[in-house]
Amino acid sequence: MTDGGSSISAVQGLLRVLAAGRDVAELGTAFGEGAAAIAETARSVVTVELDPERAAVARERLAPFANVEALAGDAYELLRGRGPFGLVFADGGRYDWEQILELLEPGGLLVKDDLTTGRPIDGDSVREFLLRDPRLEAVEILTTPESAAIVALSR
């Protein structure tokens, strides 16, 4: 668990692989480590951070990447009408999964990390939506012995 500060190296590696050649949206930039990893292989990255102080740090961190647009504000407002994206990384903030799904292209990927391992699907709104919604094919994977991510494919 990262407590909203940055993505762990295992998740960064996963994101590099999944982002390759894709247009990507990230919800919850934090300090920009995840977006930087994504930018190494993605065609383009739009990343949004709600906290203005974190967004300023991230903007500086991401300045060397010509393929990254770092925005500050509400991701749902700033990403509305953009896309579709081949990968959406839901890394922070409140989740409106319907709005997130609207950002995905058919066959696009959705990644949600920072999940605690060993929890049942029932009663966990994130897992219930991502692992049971018929518009998605999803799997939960361990990123460390204590944390997990869900990778979902839009049907």
Side-chain angles (χ1 to χ4, degrees):
M1 304 295 280
T2 63
D3 196 29
S6 62
S7 57
I8 61 174
S9 62
V11 172
Q12 290 176 14
L14 175 66
L15 293 170
R16 280 186 200 94
V17 170
L18 297 178
R22 296 178 185 268
D23 295 313
V24 179
E26 178 186 37
L27 290 76
T29 312
F31 300 109
E33 289 88 354
I38 293 167
E40 291 177 21
T41 62
R43 180 177 31 233
S44 69
V45 182
V46 179
T47 183
V48 184
E49 172 56 45
L50 185 60
D51 180 272
E53 292 176 11
R54 286 184 178 191
V57 172
R59 196 172 287 115
E60 185 175 315
R61 164 79 172 87
L62 298 168
F65 296 96
N67 62 337
V68 176
E69 182 181 5
L71 306 173
D74 182 275
Y76 300 110
E77 291 176 17
L78 294 169
L79 293 173
R80 188 173 295 121
R82 298 183 102 170
F85 296 97
L87 171 64
V88 174
F89 179 39
D91 194 29
R94 58 184 168 81
Y95 301 102
D96 182 329
W97 296 112
E98 292 299 331
Q99 287 190 60
I100 291 171
L101 287 183
E102 288 178 17
L103 297 170
L104 277 174
E105 65 187 28
L109 299 170
L110 171 59
V111 176
K112 169 61 186 108
D113 77 337
D114 289 337
L115 298 169
T116 302
T117 60
R119 293 208 175 149
I121 296 171
D122 291 332
D124 183 319
S125 62
V126 172
R127 285 180 170 92
E128 285 179 1
F129 186 90
L130 295 177
L131 295 171
R132 290 187 174 154
D133 190 286
R135 297 169 291 178
L136 299 170
E137 183 66 40
V139 63
E140 184 170 335
I141 59 172
L142 290 178
T143 54
T144 73
E146 299 82 31
S147 63
I150 293 177
V151 178
L153 173 73
S154 173
R155 295 181 189 212

